[in-house]
Amino acid sequence: MKEVSINEYLDINNAWTKRLLGLADFQKKRDITQVENEYNLDKYAKLLDFDFKTIEAYKLLEFEQAGLNPVTGEIYISFKDTIFKTSVSNMRALYYNMIKNTMDKYGSENNCELGCGYGFNLSYLKGNCYGGEYSANAVKLAKKLNFDVVEFNYYNEKDYDFIKPNSTIFTTHSIEQIPDASTIINSLEKQKSKINYVVHFEPTVVEERTSLLGALRNKYMELNDYNRNLIKILKERGDIEILELDIDIFGLVPLNTTNLIVWKFRK
């Protein structure tokens, strides 16, 4: 793993350099139509076309379809404001160890991932693992791989009824698809008697960022219409206790960094 400068990462050949500087137009509207087209009809529909026997085979194909060689490929990642170039395999080990170690600490009898795709993260966890996913094609693939996954829409309050008692809820880069997290927190409140902890591995706008890279990250979130207010809502609510908050803990993409947020409803 080699440390690199922001100038190497955001050189003139990176499309995001021009977009962030306003030299190239880019703006997305992050709604159900966008998610349906980008994930259900594209990403997961393409994966479902293949008849692999293991979940790892689908994960390797997922990287290949994203233009990354999972064996020999290299990628830029970040820890806080420091950027590194490393192998795809090392990035995977670092990222999934972070998820596993955190869930080992906060896991419950039941561990539920909202926005779980075809269940890859669930394969790393102990205990009874289950999930909800918007993409119908991802749910089909999850069931083919024998994971307990049901169709779930963040915007539908009744969809949260599938949460089991004594659960830890977690999300990984799925709330980023919801510009306003109010509906999610309000819906989880209705299920709070079943929930021990909520763990987010999520990008979001962070108002407290003060560095140049931090400002670029917030702008990246805005241009993609990603989540604006998850952390802000959690801090403002008096019925929520934040147990851990680590900003920009890891960047699968240095502009789209994972924040670790662990919280629970006050009794």
Side-chain angles (χ1 to χ4, degrees):
M1 190 161 67
K2 175 188 175 185
E3 183 176 343
V4 300
S5 69
I6 189 174
N7 292 325
E8 177 177 337
Y9 171 56
L10 287 177
D11 67 12
I12 198 62
N13 296 315
N14 188 323
W16 277 104
T17 301
K18 294 180 179 179
R19 292 168 181 170
L20 291 167
L21 291 174
L23 302 176
D25 291 335
F26 184 90
Q27 185 70 53
K28 283 191 176 181
K29 181 175 176 55
R30 193 65 52 175
D31 54 16
I32 288 293
T33 299
Q34 172 66 31
V35 173
E36 173 72 15
N37 291 334
E38 186 174 340
Y39 290 90
N40 187 49
L41 299 180
D42 187 12
K43 177 180 178 178
Y44 292 121
K46 289 178 179 177
L47 291 177
L48 194 59
D49 282 342
F50 291 82
D51 187 24
F52 297 139
K53 303 303 179 187
T54 68
I55 197 168
E56 177 64 13
Y58 283 102
K59 178 55 67 173
L60 294 177
L61 178 61
E62 187 180 340
F63 278 107
E64 290 173 3
Q65 291 183 342
L68 295 169
N69 187 310
V71 178
T72 62
E74 290 190 309
I75 192 171
Y76 291 103
I77 65 171
S78 64
F79 296 99
K80 301 297 184 178
D81 279 4
T82 306
I83 302 172
F84 298 89
K85 193 171 188 179
T86 190
S87 66
V88 173
S89 59
N90 187 47
M91 174 272 289
R92 290 187 63 193
L94 292 167
Y95 185 69
Y96 291 112
N97 280 338
M98 176 184 68
I99 293 174
K100 182 182 182 302
N101 292 339
T102 304
M103 290 301 293
D104 282 349
K105 181 177 179 181
Y106 293 104
S108 300
E109 176 186 350
N110 299 301
N111 295 309
C112 172
E113 182 178 11
L114 302 181
C116 66
Y118 54 93
F120 189 80
N121 295 331
L122 301 177
S123 69
Y124 276 80
L125 306 184
K126 302 174 183 177
N128 179 37
C129 299
Y130 67 107
E133 166 58 38
Y134 168 77
S135 166
N137 284 321
V139 173
K140 289 177 185 177
L141 184 53
K143 292 185 180 302
K144 175 183 173 183
L145 293 164
N146 296 315
F147 285 99
D148 181 6
V149 176
V150 300
E151 290 192 37
F152 167 83
N153 187 330
Y154 271 123
Y155 291 105
N156 294 339
E157 183 179 297
K158 291 296 292 181
D159 283 9
Y160 293 75
D161 289 346
F162 86 106
I163 293 174
K164 301 175 183 179
N166 197 18
S167 283
T168 290
I169 306 299
F170 75 104
T171 71
T172 57
H173 284 245
S174 61
I175 290 179
E176 73 175 340
Q177 302 289 328
I178 314 296
D180 180 0
S182 301
T183 297
I184 297 169
I185 306 304
N186 290 337
S187 297
L188 288 174
E189 181 187 6
K190 303 293 194 302
Q191 308 292 331
K192 66 181 181 180
S193 64
K194 306 176 186 177
I195 298 171
N196 297 331
Y197 301 102
V198 182
V199 180
H200 300 300
F201 305 94
E202 292 288 348
T204 182
V205 168
V206 181
E207 295 177 349
E208 293 80 5
R209 285 176 175 141
T210 58
S211 68
L212 171 60
L213 186 54
L216 293 174
R217 285 167 172 160
N218 282 346
K219 187 64 176 178
Y220 177 92
M221 299 294 294
E222 292 169 7
L223 291 177
N224 279 287
D225 201 20
Y226 285 147
N227 181 261
R228 308 289 211 280
N229 61 1
L230 175 60
I231 294 175
K232 185 174 186 290
I233 290 172
L234 295 175
K235 286 183 174 180
E236 289 177 347
R237 289 190 56 137
D239 61 339
I240 284 174
E241 179 183 358
I242 297 176
L243 304 175
E244 285 195 45
L245 177 58
D246 199 344
I247 303 301
D248 301 327
I249 186 172
F250 186 79
L252 290 166
V253 176
L255 288 174
N256 194 37
T257 52
T258 299
N259 305 299
L260 173 62
I261 313 158
V262 183
W263 59 275
K264 66 179 181 178
F265 287 104
R266 299 183 190 275
K267 303 298 184 183

